[in-house]
């Protein structure tokens, strides 16, 4: 059982229900109480906190004799951080797990002050996250690499995966947003506009922009429900979506990206499906680590570096509220419209 728990923690996956049932009931009840009071968290954030706390208290079960959460000491939590580092976990993942336990402790301090007056949050700011040196290189795919990936998917007749790559790259959307795309978009009319852009020599020229706009999609946001917006995507993505739906045939599922189950039914994909495609086939084809967010960062970078669009075009396409966020991907700063992304 110990080896199983270590493997699960190493992959940052959920602790199984069977494992969780073995954890000290007091700790399970306190975690449940804490999570039920986090109404400000989005569903996705709540999943992250749940996973982090389950991993932590499974470690407590295994290494601290299932001690009550109100009795854990600072030096024992430091052992936990070192254990995470020994699992070859990234610094950012460890930072999140540390902050999850700290937030849980603050909840106990605030809500159970009368019951446990001597309890103090043992997770302190001076606790340094162990440096593992595990950092994945952030290397966006060039337009030529995107084309190569798409050409290979066409050769293999991987039509759904091709549609995912082109739609995600074209829109710059996140995986949680891509899975919401509805089949009805293939019936939408194109948006054709004349825009002013700069050529390679910095001269202003007129160009035709042709794009399609999706239905409203729920996006990442600070509120529990998130914000909603429509995404622009290009003709190549539209053609790939139509090809995939043609090959897929008729079914009752309204979503573009689906999983066909053993009983013949079709359901909407989960985000992990996109992870699997990227970490499996896409990584194999490109001979480098591919992950869903890489398509988003590649789109933003290529718009500026290769297509000579300005930062605001990338900002509008990605839906960033501030250009400062977009600067994480690119470094130029002018003002244009996102329609320029589809020339």
């Amino acid at each position: 059982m110990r080896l199983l728990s270590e493997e699960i923690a190493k992959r940052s996956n959920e602790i199984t229900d069977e494992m969780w049932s073995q954890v000290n009931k007091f700790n399970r009840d306190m975690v449940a109480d804490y999570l039920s009071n986090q109404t400000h968290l989005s569903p996705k954030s709540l999943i992250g906190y749940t996973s982090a706390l389950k991993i932590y208290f499974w470690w407590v079960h295994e290494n601290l004799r299932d001690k009550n959460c109100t009795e854990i000491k600072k030096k024992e939590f430091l052992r936990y951080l070192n254990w995470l580092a020994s699992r070859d976990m990234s610094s950012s993942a460890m930072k999140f797990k540390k902050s999850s336990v700290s937030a849980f402790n603050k909840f106990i301090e605030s809500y159970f002050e009368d019951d446990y007056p001597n309890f103090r949050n043992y997770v302190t700011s001076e606790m340094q996250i162990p440096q593992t040196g595990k950092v994945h290189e952030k290397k966006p795919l060039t337009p030529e690499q995107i084309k190569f990936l798409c050409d290979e998917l066409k050769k293999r007749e991987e039509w759904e995966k091709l549609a995912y790559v082109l739609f995600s790259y074209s829109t710059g959307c996140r995986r949680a947003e891509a899975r919401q795309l509805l089949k009805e978009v293939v019936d939408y009319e194109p948006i054709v506009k004349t825009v002013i852009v700069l050529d390679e020599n910095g001269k202003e020229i007129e160009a035709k922009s042709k794009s399609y706009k999706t239905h409203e999609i729920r996006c990442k946001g600070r509120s529990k429900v998130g914000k909603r917006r429509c995404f622009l995507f290009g003709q190549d993505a539209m053609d790939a979506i139509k090809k995939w739906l043609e090959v897929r045939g008729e079914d009752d599922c309204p979503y573009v990206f689906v999983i066909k189950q053993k009983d013949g039914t079709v359901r909407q994909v989960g985000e992990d499906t996109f992870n699997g495609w990227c970490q499996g086939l896409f990584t194999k084809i490109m001979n480098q680590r591919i992950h869903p967010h890489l398509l988003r960062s590649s789109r933003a970078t290529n718009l500026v570096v290769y297509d000579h669009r300005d930062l605001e075009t990338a900002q509008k396409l990605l839906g960033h509220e501030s250009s400062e966020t977009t600067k994480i991907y690119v470094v130029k700063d002018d003002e244009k419209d996102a329609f320029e992304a589809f020339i």
Side-chain angles (χ1 to χ4, degrees):
M1 184 66 73
R2 183 182 299 273
L3 289 176
L4 177 59
S5 68
E6 290 182 354
E7 279 302 306
I8 289 176
K10 181 177 179 179
R11 298 193 305 268
S12 299
N13 288 337
E14 295 290 334
I15 297 297
T16 66
D17 291 341
E18 180 184 354
M19 293 166 68
W20 186 238
S21 68
Q22 299 175 47
V23 170
N24 177 347
K25 186 177 185 301
F26 178 81
N27 290 342
R28 286 190 282 121
D29 289 345
M30 291 293 277
V31 168
D33 199 358
Y34 165 71
L35 294 173
S36 67
N37 280 277
Q38 305 311 299
T39 56
H40 63 286
L41 295 178
S42 68
K44 189 171 182 179
S45 296
L46 195 60
I47 290 172
Y49 277 90
T50 302
S51 175
L53 291 173
K54 283 187 174 183
I55 288 173
Y56 175 56
F57 283 110
W58 177 258
W59 180 88
V60 171
H61 168 77
E62 294 262 281
N63 296 274
L64 300 182
R65 298 182 179 180
D66 231 359
K67 179 182 289 191
N68 284 354
C69 59
T70 53
E71 300 172 358
I72 297 173
K73 305 300 180 185
K74 179 178 179 179
K75 64 180 180 180
E76 293 169 329
F77 184 73
L78 286 170
R79 284 177 54 197
Y80 173 66
L81 290 181
N82 288 326
W83 178 80
L84 290 177
S86 73
R87 298 297 91 202
D88 201 26
M89 191 170 289
S90 69
S91 297
S92 61
M94 286 189 287
K95 184 177 180 181
F96 176 73
K97 287 176 171 55
K98 174 189 172 185
S99 65
S100 297
V101 177
S102 179
F104 172 76
N105 288 345
K106 290 177 181 178
F107 169 78
I108 296 176
E109 282 185 319
S110 300
Y111 283 75
F112 295 94
E113 182 179 7
D114 293 338
D115 299 284
Y116 310 104
N118 296 323
F119 177 78
R120 296 291 181 271
N121 183 7
Y122 49 80
V123 182
T124 57
S125 58
E126 65 266 17
M127 284 184 176
Q128 296 297 313
I129 296 295
Q131 296 300 308
T132 63
K134 186 176 180 61
V135 178
H136 295 299
E137 182 182 9
K138 296 179 180 179
K139 186 178 180 181
L141 297 174
T142 66
E144 290 76 16
Q145 288 177 308
I146 292 291
K147 183 179 183 304
F148 177 79
L149 174 59
C150 291
D151 287 344
E152 285 297 310
L153 292 174
K154 287 179 184 177
K155 289 178 185 178
R156 298 167 188 247
E157 298 187 348
E158 293 282 2
W159 304 118
E160 184 176 19
K161 296 180 178 66
L162 175 64
Y164 165 69
V165 169
L166 285 172
F167 178 75
S168 295
Y169 179 72
S170 188
T171 59
C173 70
R174 302 175 179 86
R175 55 183 183 167
E177 297 155 354
R179 69 185 291 267
Q180 299 176 54
L181 184 65
L182 297 175
K183 292 190 293 186
E184 66 183 47
V185 297
V186 297
D187 297 321
Y188 292 1
E189 293 296 322
I191 302 170
V192 180
K193 288 182 175 290
T194 300
V195 295
I196 303 297
V197 297
L198 298 179
D199 64 15
E200 293 183 0
N201 299 316
K203 181 182 178 181
E204 288 189 350
I205 58 172
E206 284 191 354
K208 289 288 185 181
S209 163
K210 182 180 180 182
S211 61
Y212 297 85
K213 182 176 286 189
T214 69
H215 48 85
E216 282 195 345
I217 288 177
R218 186 177 65 256
C219 305
K220 181 179 179 181
R222 294 183 180 181
S223 67
K224 189 171 183 178
V225 297
K227 62 182 179 180
R228 303 181 72 87
R229 61 184 286 257
C230 299
F231 289 80
L232 292 175
F233 63 99
Q235 187 65 52
D236 55 351
M238 175 62 88
D239 292 341
I241 292 168
K242 287 182 176 179
K243 176 64 178 179
W244 157 236
L245 293 180
E246 176 189 334
V247 172
R248 173 176 151 188
E250 295 295 327
D251 57 61
D252 296 330
C253 186
Y255 297 100
V256 170
F257 302 112
V258 298
I259 291 177
K260 295 186 178 181
Q261 304 184 104
K262 292 182 179 179
D263 62 2
T265 59
V266 176
R267 67 170 176 83
Q268 179 189 21
V269 298
E271 293 178 35
D272 285 343
T273 297
F274 298 143
N275 289 342
W277 293 351
C278 290
Q279 295 169 10
L281 182 60
F282 300 171
T283 292
K284 180 180 179 181
I285 290 174
M286 300 306 298
N287 196 30
Q288 73 174 75
R289 179 178 178 268
I290 306 296
H291 54 90
H293 202 73
L294 185 63
L295 297 173
R296 179 174 169 84
S297 60
S298 297
R299 177 60 158 149
T301 299
N302 294 342
L303 272 175
V304 174
V305 175
Y306 293 94
D307 296 336
H308 309 287
R309 305 295 180 261
D310 51 56
L311 189 66
E312 189 174 350
T313 299
Q315 177 192 342
K316 288 181 178 293
L317 184 71
L318 270 59
H320 290 153
E321 293 182 0
S322 169
S323 61
E324 293 301 313
T325 305
T326 315
K327 285 181 181 178
I328 296 173
Y329 306 104
V330 292
V331 293
K332 294 187 178 181
D333 192 2
D334 293 306
E335 294 187 359
K336 294 288 179 182
D337 201 320
F339 287 112
E340 295 179 19
F342 303 97
I343 296 172

